Amino acid sequence: MRKRKLLLHFLFWTAYLLPTVYEIIVQDEIDLTQKSLILWILNLSIALAVFYILTEWLVPSCMRLKGWRNIFWLSLPLFWIGISYFHIEIEKWAYQYLGLTQQRPAVLLDYLAGTFWFMVIATGITLSHMWYENQLKIRDIENLAVRVELEHLRYRVNPHFLFNTLNSLYALTLDKSDKAPKIVLQLSQLMRYMLQDEAREVPLKSEIEHLENYLELERIRLDNHVQVTMHVEGEMDNQKIAPMILLPFIENSFKHGVNDSLQEGYVEVEIRISKKELFFYVENSKRTKLLSTSGRKTSPGIGLANVRRRLELLYGPERYTLEMEDLQDNYCVSLYLKLN
């Protein structure tokens, strides 16, 4: 921001001094005697004072004060008239001190006209720079809010997944199943991935391996009760994706779908990668009406709501399309995602 401000000031003073430099170098129309040089320096000093009083104090102060509009419109005309009158008096004193005669009498209207355009440009520069600074602050606040919300959503997803998996492990340990140690190993690998991954984006290959670990865990837990398949095609190298963005859809298939099935069920996962796009599809069987043990209809839970919100924050509506179909015998999710 400081560099931008310095650039604006440099451009302003370059444009202000350029006509004088042109007259001295090209047209040779300006008297370069010591007395005339003193007058020129005096006028430049007044211009510098007016510019920096406006840009560094008057305009910023008026903008920051409560009810600044009234103060702003009142103080600027007063400053304009006062500085024009001051300029006249200083020039009169300088001419008398140097023993020079003014070519024509000083007229307040002429000084008002010259000072007016000078002040308009200086005020415009100040307001534009303040607006730019304000936009940067707003953007920083919005980015911070998004980061905080993403972290909040993410830490709501991970414990949710862990809770469901530990419930399954608890049931197996009660039955003293031989599957329990293998599930502990799979779970440790999944948790290691979650704990190590704090980036906004991760390699797509790592994310897919994470999904495969989860599916393997479910295969072990459900044995042959549910048919679990996953098909991946396309080039994964150099592709990145937001972490934990796909898992909730698969987790939802097991939690609200096949786990409640009276007969053998299935979960099918398909991932296709084409250039910078990803197609993700999950289909699972389910009962006609999903009921909990209390007899109430189950809800999708916080998982899908969280992942939809994360998609909106990380990718925006123009970079993803999410479709969900709740049919009588199955549930389908289709996600089109623009990567990187």
Side-chain angles (χ1 to χ4, degrees), residues 88-107:
I88 290 176
E89 294 302 317
I90 285 293
E91 276 203 351
K92 284 182 180 179
W93 172 83
Y95 273 96
Q96 292 175 0
Y97 179 79
L98 296 172
L100 298 173
T101 303
Q102 287 182 295
Q103 295 180 354
R104 60 185 180 125
V107 180

Side-chain angles (χ1 to χ4, degrees), residues 55-308:
T55 59
E56 300 298 323
W57 177 71
L58 184 58
V59 174
S61 298
C62 291
M63 294 294 286
R64 294 188 184 105
L65 291 173
K66 188 176 182 180
W68 61 267
R69 288 181 178 85
N70 295 331
I71 300 173
F72 181 73
W73 293 114
L74 179 63
S75 60
L76 276 182
L78 292 176
F79 180 74
W80 173 42
I81 295 171
I83 202 66
S84 298
Y85 183 78
F86 175 76
H87 195 176
I88 290 176
E89 294 302 317
I90 285 293
E91 276 203 351
K92 284 182 180 179
W93 172 83
Y95 273 96
Q96 292 175 0
Y97 179 79
L98 296 172
L100 298 173
T101 303
Q102 287 182 295
Q103 295 180 354
R104 60 185 180 125
V107 180
L108 180 60
L109 187 62
D110 293 338
Y111 284 81
L112 286 172
T115 307
F116 175 78
W117 293 110
F118 185 89
M119 287 181 59
V120 166
I121 296 172
T123 303
I125 290 173
T126 307
L127 292 177
S128 67
H129 182 68
M130 292 181 69
W131 176 86
Y132 179 76
E133 283 185 326
N134 189 54
Q135 292 302 307
L136 289 181
K137 290 177 181 177
I138 291 173
R139 188 179 66 182
D140 289 342
I141 292 171
E142 290 175 347
N143 288 340
L144 178 60
V146 168
R147 287 197 298 270
V148 170
E149 185 172 358
L150 282 172
E151 287 301 311
H152 174 66
L153 290 173
R154 179 172 176 178
Y155 285 114
R156 287 182 67 187
V157 170
N158 291 357
H160 180 63
F161 160 72
L162 179 59
F163 176 77
N164 293 338
T165 307
L166 288 176
N167 268 349
S168 300
L169 180 59
Y170 175 70
L172 290 174
T173 55
L174 287 178
D175 295 336
K176 298 182 180 180
S177 172
D178 295 336
K179 301 174 185 176
K182 194 170 183 180
I183 287 184
V184 171
L185 179 61
Q186 291 294 128
L187 181 59
S188 68
Q189 293 176 351
L190 291 172
M191 295 308 299
R192 186 180 297 112
Y193 177 81
M194 292 179 184
L195 293 174
Q196 289 179 351
D197 170 35
E198 296 293 337
R200 182 164 174 166
E201 288 189 322
V202 296
L204 178 59
K205 188 175 182 179
S206 299
E207 187 70 8
I208 291 177
E209 289 175 355
H210 177 58
L211 299 181
E212 290 173 342
N213 282 336
Y214 177 81
L215 290 175
E216 180 61 24
L217 187 151
E218 293 291 3
R219 289 190 189 100
I220 295 170
R221 182 175 66 87
L222 297 173
D223 200 6
N224 296 323
H225 178 63
V226 175
Q227 183 179 358
V228 180
T229 60
M230 179 173 177
H231 176 70
V232 181
E233 66 177 51
E235 182 60 45
M236 291 183 285
D237 293 339
N238 301 321
Q239 303 279 21
K240 290 191 174 183
I241 191 172
M244 300 290 293
I245 206 75
L246 303 178
L247 179 64
F249 298 113
I250 299 178
E251 182 188 3
N252 190 70
S253 298
F254 290 97
K255 181 184 178 186
H256 299 287
V258 296
N259 276 359
D260 294 320
S261 181
L262 293 176
Q263 301 176 355
E264 291 187 358
Y266 69 90
V267 174
E268 296 178 358
V269 181
E270 181 181 355
I271 299 176
R272 296 200 304 265
I273 306 105
S274 175
K275 295 182 180 178
K276 298 296 181 181
E277 295 183 352
L278 178 141
F279 171 70
F280 175 77
Y281 177 79
V282 181
E283 180 181 333
N284 63 269
S285 59
K286 68 181 184 67
R287 294 176 59 182
T288 303
K289 292 183 179 179
L290 298 182
L291 299 176
S292 65
T293 54
S294 62
R296 299 177 181 177
K297 289 184 178 181
T298 61
S299 64
I302 64 172
L304 295 186
N306 284 349
V307 76
R308 186 187 289 274

Side-chain angles (χ1 to χ4, degrees), residues 280 311 316-323 334-338:
F280 175 77
L311 283 168
E318 71 283 353
R319 293 185 61 192
Y320 85 93
T321 302
L322 179 61
E323 297 178 357
S334 299
L335 173 65
Y336 290 91
L337 193 63
K338 291 183 179 179

